[in-house]
Structure formats: structure tokens, C-alpha cells
Amino acid sequence: MTRRLMSVALFMMLSVCSVSDATMLKRGKLADEYPDTPKQQKQPNQILPKKGDIGVVVDGTDTMHVSTTEAMIIQELVSHGYRVVDEKKMKSMKMAAAKAQAARYAFEGNMSALLKVNGHYSAAATVCAKVRAGRPVRNDLGVYTGTATISLLAVTSRGTKLGGDMAQGKALGYTVEEAEQNGINDAVRNAMSQIF
């Protein structure tokens, strides 16, 4: 008799638990456990315009860091469905921006030089970035820790500041160069996540 009573009680508890889970799921209480539900999927913030080409201008003290940062930003833009200025135009655009110090002025709040570059090359918007990597430090395990900082700013051809911020990255590597690059990669990913 007690076995039968325990079985019934166990059955009722399981029924109540599954009903309450389903009810909480409908209310969004189990979002962490069920991330595939349609309500819980995040829609990306669309900061950059989808129409037109996007230019990329990166500034920094190390040319290797500048080129890898630029490549990562372009890759992120393309993977999110944006069109990037073609390679030939991008090269000219970067030279014009460097000559006019457009990125430096844009970060100081003066958009006029960047707007001229945008207008001349028919870019719908430009993503400006300034990257700096710290010297990696070796930890007790013999692995290097690299840190980097990136300032990111997106500006439309009309002069509207679309967003962006400063982001930091920190990563490990077996060599100084690897830790440095991994830190930059982490900083770029963090910065681009603020735009998307």
C-alpha cells in the first residue's frame, strides 16, 4: 500500500514540475536553460546603415597591429552582411584619411575631415579605430598575458555618430607576439560587439 501511495505521489510531483516548467518557459523564466525559444533570441542592434559601402580607417603605433585590426573589423562587417569599400578605394581612402588626420580629429570630436573623406569616396559610413597593445607579461606558469585597448567610432556620411566606445582585451599566448595579438583580437571582438 505504501509503495503504491509513494508511486502516486512521485507521479504527481513530476507532473506538477513539468507543468510549472512549461508555465515558466512561457513567461520567460527559464531563458538560460532554453536559449532556443523564439522570444529569447536577441535581434542585433543595427547601428550601421545596410545600404551603401562602409569604410574602415585604423590608427595605431604598430603597423602590424593596425593591419590585423583592420582585417578583423572588415571580416566582422562582412560576416554581419555589410558591404565594405572595395580594396582599391579603401587604400585611397586610408591614405586620404591619414593625410587629413581624419581619425584623430574624429576621436577629438571634429568630424569635418572624416566627412570629406566619406563624401569623396561615397562611403555610407566609416568605422574608425585606434588600437594600442600593452607589453605582454609572463605569469607564474610561463605563459604570457597580453592586453590591448581599442577605441571605436562609426560615423555616417551625414556626420551622425553611430556609436562605438572603448574596449579592452586580455588574452594568453605562449610567446610575446602571440599574447599581444590575442589581446588585440579580444579587444576588437569586444569593440565590434558594441556596434552589432
Side-chain angles (χ1 to χ4, degrees):
M1 180 75 163
T2 57
R3 256 189 164 160
R4 185 183 242 179
L5 200 54
M6 285 176 47
S7 298
V8 170
L10 183 61
F11 177 77
M12 289 180 69
M13 284 184 4
L14 289 174
S15 302
V16 170
C17 288
S18 66
V19 169
S20 65
D21 281 354
T23 305
M24 287 196 311
L25 180 59
K26 286 180 186 175
R27 290 187 207 144
K29 301 287 185 187
L30 297 178
D32 295 337
E33 291 180 28
Y34 300 95
D36 295 331
T37 58
K39 281 188 177 180
Q40 302 306 321
Q41 290 176 345
K42 282 187 176 180
Q43 295 299 321
N45 296 335
Q46 193 171 330
I47 291 178
L48 294 171
K50 282 288 190 180
K51 291 184 180 179
D53 293 341
I54 308 294
V56 178
V57 176
V58 180
D59 188 25
T61 54
D62 187 298
T63 55
M64 184 64 180
H65 297 163
V66 168
S67 61
T68 56
T69 300
E70 180 185 314
M72 280 190 71
I73 291 172
I74 290 171
Q75 183 180 8
E76 285 289 319
L77 289 169
V78 170
S79 71
H80 282 84
Y82 293 96
R83 283 192 349 225
V84 179
V85 172
D86 68 68
E87 193 175 332
K88 184 178 177 184
K89 195 187 281 188
M90 183 80 81
K91 187 176 180 181
S92 302
M93 192 175 179
K94 286 190 301 187
M95 287 172 52
K99 186 177 179 182
Q101 296 185 4
R104 183 174 69 100
Y105 289 135
F107 282 114
E108 292 173 1
N110 182 355
M111 305 290 173
S112 60
L114 189 59
L115 292 177
K116 286 179 185 173
V117 172
N118 272 0
H120 185 70
Y121 293 99
S122 304
T126 300
V127 175
C128 292
K130 191 169 195 172
V131 64
R132 192 181 90 232
R135 184 84 180 138
V137 178
R138 193 172 193 164
N139 63 23
D140 294 340
L141 301 173
V143 179
Y144 292 91
T145 303
T147 58
T149 305
I150 185 167
S151 299
L152 200 69
L153 176 69
V155 181
T156 66
S157 56
R158 294 181 183 170
T160 308
K161 247 172 130 176
L162 298 174
D165 207 346
M166 187 187 86
Q168 295 181 340
K170 187 174 186 178
L172 300 175
Y174 290 106
T175 65
V176 171
E177 295 79 14
E178 183 185 21
E180 206 170 50
Q181 189 58 55
N182 290 344
I184 291 169
N185 294 350
D186 190 47
V188 171
R189 275 191 297 273
N190 292 338
M192 292 302 285
S193 70
Q194 296 171 20
I195 286 189
F196 301 124

